[in-house]
Amino acid sequence: MAEDIFRVATVEDAPEFLELLSSAFKSVKELGIDWPSTNADLAMVTENIVNSSAFVLERNGKLISTITVRFPWESSSPPSKYPFVWWFATAPELAGQGIGDKLLTYVEERVLRDTLKAPALTLGTSARKHPWLLDMYLRRGYEVYFEHEEDGDVGVMMRKILIPEKFDATLLGIPSWT
């Protein structure tokens, strides 16, 4: 039986991380979605690992899923004052097996809610060009709090409240890319 290991990515993971990200986002790039993840190179991945908290799910020594958490202090104009998740990818050959769900749940609950006591988290996604991503996040309890139409797509900012009694909607803000 394979053992799944949750951990923070290291610089040594960068080449394999890039390979995972590139294969997972290939179909997104083919949809005409121009995100940093669809154009990542080794330098970008390395910078992401060094400057943010890049979590990976590893099975039998191989990275099978990843997600990065960016914190408000990492940028002079963060999308919100809550943690922002991005670069969420799972090996395409393992799609539909709940692997991405397992990693996202771990990051939402164990890391952000239980360890860091974050009241909420945010993310940005495509609401028009990507065929299923928005619905996936809605099913997971995320809510759209901001929409912006540009280049034939609708970019949305979403939030997920993790600790309702500590949540403050005024900390969401308006993203700087508007």
Side-chain angles (χ1 to χ4, degrees):
M1 180 99 182
E3 181 184 359
D4 289 346
I5 298 169
F6 298 98
R7 65 179 178 83
V8 175
T10 65
V11 172
E12 291 76 25
D13 292 316
E16 188 178 0
F17 189 110
L18 175 60
E19 184 180 319
L20 171 62
L21 197 67
S22 297
S23 65
F25 279 91
K26 182 180 179 202
S27 62
V28 175
K29 189 171 189 164
E30 290 169 353
L31 292 171
I33 298 173
D34 186 30
W35 291 337
S37 55
T38 62
N39 300 299
D41 58 23
L42 189 58
M44 290 171 66
V45 167
T46 301
E47 180 182 346
N48 180 64
I49 290 170
V50 168
N51 294 322
S52 298
S53 296
F55 294 90
V56 295
L57 179 52
E58 180 180 1
R59 181 179 288 163
N60 298 329
K62 181 172 172 48
L63 302 185
I64 59 172
S65 190
T66 185
I67 192 166
T68 297
V69 179
R70 291 172 49 195
F71 294 98
W73 55 84
E74 293 178 33
S75 167
S76 59
S77 57
S80 95
K81 294 201 172 82
Y82 289 114
F84 179 83
V85 295
W86 74 330
W87 287 22
F88 179 32
T90 298
E93 66 273 14
L94 301 174
Q97 296 181 28
I99 292 164
D101 183 65
K102 189 175 184 178
L103 179 60
L104 186 53
T105 298
Y106 173 82
V107 168
E108 289 171 349
E109 295 176 3
R110 298 279 306 275
V111 175
L112 295 174
R113 185 193 67 200
D114 299 345
T115 303
L116 299 176
K117 311 299 185 211
L121 71 145
T122 62
L123 61 81
T125 194
S126 165
R128 182 177 294 147
K129 285 186 178 180
H130 199 286
W132 54 266
L133 204 52
L134 178 64
D135 288 337
M136 180 200 75
Y137 287 121
L138 290 170
R139 284 192 307 274
R140 288 191 56 85
Y142 286 79
E143 304 168 282
V144 173
Y145 74 89
F146 181 80
E147 295 184 12
H148 177 71
E149 187 152 353
E150 185 175 320
D151 298 328
D153 199 2
V154 176
V156 296
M157 288 294 296
M158 303 184 83
R159 69 176 190 204
K160 183 171 186 179
I161 299 171
L162 303 174
I163 307 173
E165 61 275 12
K166 291 185 173 185
F167 176 71
D168 179 352
T170 65
L171 297 178
L172 290 169
I174 302 292
S176 63
W177 44 263
T178 60

